[in-house]
């Protein structure tokens, strides 16, 4: 043990005969940065490339050396290598169970998207790189349908499955979501699946209620347009006519909460008799926040009509597949 401690001290505090600490570190930095360019310029390029791409200093240095300090070429090469490594790792991890993950919800005007992306562990689901992937899937789905529906007289609802999501393109460079998935797998080292997505759009006189439950810790401003959780719901509603331009945000939020908590299978009818906890028709179910009345009885005084809903639960398809 004393020998190991002595070795540690000798590495951290070189003896006078070995030169000063500054000389020792300076020598190592000089060797690390030597690319044939001025050391200061090389260091600045290295720091800039590392900050921009997020790749390791070793790989950034290798890229700068390969392209003689050309930042643009080095960045492109790093992305290309990461893509190759990501696809390689993705193929190796394929087949591993992905029971964890996140539901992501994105709302934009009169449209909303809800997606499910799965991974192996909750630890990775809390990682901002994984959450960024969920965001990309949601944005890709929104972009796919944007402009496809003109003047709506009623609501529109579409679903996308894994194979369809993989072919969606994102951003100005038109990169495939399947490539973004491989990159994230390469970075985080877990199998991942873009499971499903839904897109809902309504005319101006309708509104979409929404709710997500079980959100992970947040704080990244780049993800501020997203809602994340383990459960999510979209509820399509039509306000009464004439409408006094009331704010239905709170009502929509509570309807979404009810769908998440009570897991109805259909909307049902306002005329349905109130049921018990086994009821599957949404409007006949006991209202989640006040079980003494049915959801239909809660909504009726507002004059709002509940037309449809979508509910996602993270991992529910995986459990069903295993049961089969």
């Amino acid at each position: 043990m004393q020998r190991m401690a002595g070795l540690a001290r000798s590495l951290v505090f070189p003896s006078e005969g070995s030169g000063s600490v500054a000389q020792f570190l300076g020598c190592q930095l000089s060797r690390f940065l030597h690319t044939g360019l001025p050391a200061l310029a090389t260091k600045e390029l290295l720091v800039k490339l590392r900050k921009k791409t997020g790749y390791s200093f070793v790989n950034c240095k290798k890229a700068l050396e390969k392209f003689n300090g050309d930042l643009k070429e080095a960045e492109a090469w790093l992305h290309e290598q990461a893509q190759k490594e990501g696809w390689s790792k993705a193929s190796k991890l394929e087949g591993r169970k992905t029971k964890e993950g996140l539901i992501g919800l994105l709302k934009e005007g009169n449209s909303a998207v809800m997606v499910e992306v799965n991974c192996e562990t909750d630890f990775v689901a809390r990682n901002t790189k994984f959450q960024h992937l969920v965001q990309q899937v949601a944005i890709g789905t929104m972009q796919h349908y944007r402009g496809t529906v003109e003047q709506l007289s009623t609501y529109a609802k579409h679903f996308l499955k894994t194979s369809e999501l993989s072919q969606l393109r994102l951003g100005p460079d038109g990169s495939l979501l399947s490539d973004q998935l491989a990159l994230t797998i390469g970075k985080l080292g877990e199998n991942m699946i873009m499971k499903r997505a839904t897109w809902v759009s309504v005319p101006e006189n309708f509104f979409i209620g929404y709710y997500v439950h079980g959100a992970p810790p947040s704080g990244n401003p780049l993800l501020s347009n997203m809602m994340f959780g383990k459960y999510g719901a979209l509820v399509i509603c039509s306000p009464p006519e004439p409408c006094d331009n009331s704010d239905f945000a709170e009502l929509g939020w509570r309807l979404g909460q009810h769908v998440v908590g009570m897991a109805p299978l259909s909307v049902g009818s306002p005329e349905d008799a109130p049921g018990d906890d086994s009821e599957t028709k949404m409007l006949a179910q006991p209202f989640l926040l006040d079980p003494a009345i049915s959801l239909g009885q809660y909504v009726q005084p507002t004059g709002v009509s509940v037309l449809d809903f979508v509910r996602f639960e993270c991992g529910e398809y995986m459990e069903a597949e295993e049961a089969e």
Side-chain angles (χ1 to χ4, degrees):
M1 187 66 107
Q2 290 177 342
R3 184 179 176 186
M4 293 299 293
L7 176 60
R9 282 196 299 270
S10 69
L11 289 173
V12 178
F13 303 109
S15 64
E16 291 183 4
S18 302
S20 68
V21 175
Q23 289 173 327
F24 175 77
L25 295 177
C27 178
Q28 298 304 312
L29 185 62
S30 176
R31 289 175 57 194
F32 183 73
L33 294 174
H34 181 65
T35 62
L37 295 170
L40 182 59
T42 305
K43 182 179 178 181
E44 290 176 351
L45 286 172
L46 181 58
V47 171
K48 187 174 182 180
L49 186 60
R50 170 76 171 86
K51 185 176 181 180
K52 188 173 183 181
T53 64
Y55 299 120
S56 69
F57 276 109
V58 173
N59 287 332
C60 289
K61 173 181 174 288
K62 184 177 179 181
L64 287 170
E65 287 178 343
K66 184 177 180 68
F67 296 99
N68 198 28
D70 188 314
L71 198 63
K72 188 174 182 180
E73 291 286 344
E75 182 182 351
W77 182 80
L78 281 170
H79 287 314
E80 182 182 342
Q81 296 305 303
Q83 192 71 70
K84 289 179 181 178
E85 292 174 11
W87 276 113
S88 175
K89 186 166 286 188
S91 64
K92 292 177 183 177
L93 298 177
E94 189 176 5
R96 281 167 49 166
K97 292 182 180 180
T98 52
K99 290 186 175 181
E100 297 295 336
L102 285 175
I103 303 300
L105 193 151
L106 172 66
K107 193 168 185 301
E108 188 178 275
N110 291 329
S111 299
V113 161
M114 193 161 59
V115 304
E116 178 183 357
V117 183
N118 301 121
C119 56
E120 296 179 42
T121 65
D122 187 57
F123 177 77
V124 162
R126 292 170 178 270
N127 188 290
T128 55
K129 291 185 176 67
F130 180 79
Q131 293 169 14
H132 178 62
L133 173 65
V134 179
Q135 181 189 50
Q136 288 180 309
V137 176
I139 291 173
T141 302
M142 186 70 80
Q143 289 179 347
H144 176 68
Y145 286 107
R146 186 181 294 149
T148 59
V149 179
E150 296 179 355
Q151 294 295 323
L152 291 173
S153 58
T154 186
Y155 70 92
K157 180 177 71 172
H158 296 285
F159 292 91
L160 292 172
K161 54 188 178 182
T162 301
S163 58
E164 295 166 319
L165 287 170
S166 297
Q167 298 306 308
L168 296 187
R169 295 187 178 274
L170 185 69
D173 60 346
S175 60
L176 288 168
L177 280 181
S178 56
D179 288 337
Q180 299 301 318
L181 175 69
L183 274 172
T184 310
I185 290 174
K187 291 176 181 177
L188 299 180
E190 281 196 7
N191 189 25
M192 299 173 194
I193 295 175
M194 300 180 291
K195 193 66 177 179
R196 53 180 169 162
T198 185
W199 170 84
V200 170
S201 190
V202 299
E204 289 290 338
N205 58 327
F206 285 35
F207 69 93
I208 302 172
Y210 57 92
Y211 177 73
V212 172
H213 182 76
S218 59
N220 188 334
L222 297 177
L223 301 171
S224 60
N225 64 335
M226 292 291 299
M227 297 176 64
F228 298 106
K230 296 296 184 180
Y231 305 84
L234 299 173
V235 185
I236 302 164
C237 302
S238 172
E241 293 184 1
C243 179
D244 59 0
N245 294 319
S246 298
D247 184 0
F248 293 105
E250 184 177 353
L251 175 62
W253 184 261
R254 292 183 176 181
L255 291 175
Q257 277 184 310
H258 178 92
V259 170
V260 164
M262 298 298 290
L265 300 179
S266 63
V267 173
S269 167
E271 284 74 39
D272 291 332
D276 57 19
D277 288 342
S278 64
E279 179 61 64
T280 61
K281 290 180 287 187
M282 179 179 174
L283 293 175
Q285 289 178 320
F287 179 38
L288 180 69
L289 302 180
D290 183 1
I293 60 173
S294 69
L295 182 71
Q297 290 171 332
Y298 167 70
V299 174
Q300 191 272 331
T302 69
V304 168
S305 298
V306 179
L307 305 177
D308 203 350
F309 67 89
V310 183
R311 180 184 186 272
F312 277 7
E313 179 178 339
C314 189
E316 62 183 333
Y317 278 0
M318 181 65 68
E319 292 175 3
E321 289 166 2
E322 287 182 351
E324 293 174 359

